[in-house]
Amino acid sequence: MFEYELHQIRSAELRREAADERRAREAVRGARAARREAAGRAAEGEVHTDRTRRHWFTRAA
């Protein structure tokens, strides 16, 4: 009976560790997704500016 209780305790401990690792992975994945989304929005904003385009060469006659 004692061995069975040890087995149950160990099993519960492994389940808790697995759940903690799963939560950690989800947090990292969420943070990455948020960074990607923020970078995408920042890049989008740079493309559409109201400034006039600077011409580097004079126009040909």
Side-chain angles (χ1 to χ4, degrees), residues 20-61:
D20 290 344
E21 289 175 9
R22 205 174 305 115
R23 267 188 244 112
R25 281 194 308 270
E26 287 174 5
V28 168
R29 200 175 300 132
R32 266 192 213 130
R35 275 196 309 267
R36 235 180 286 127
E37 187 178 323
R41 273 189 266 121
E44 231 176 64
E46 291 174 11
V47 173
H48 303 289
T49 60
D50 291 333
R51 292 185 304 164
T52 57
R53 182 173 174 175
R54 181 178 176 182
H55 298 286
W56 293 97
F57 300 103
T58 58
R59 298 180 81 181

Side-chain angles (χ1 to χ4, degrees), residues 5-26:
E5 289 176 12
L6 285 178
H7 174 72
Q8 292 293 87
I9 291 169
R10 179 68 179 145
S11 178
E13 186 179 317
L14 288 173
R15 282 194 196 105
R16 276 192 301 273
E17 287 178 13
D20 290 344
E21 289 175 9
R22 205 174 305 115
R23 267 188 244 112
R25 281 194 308 270
E26 287 174 5

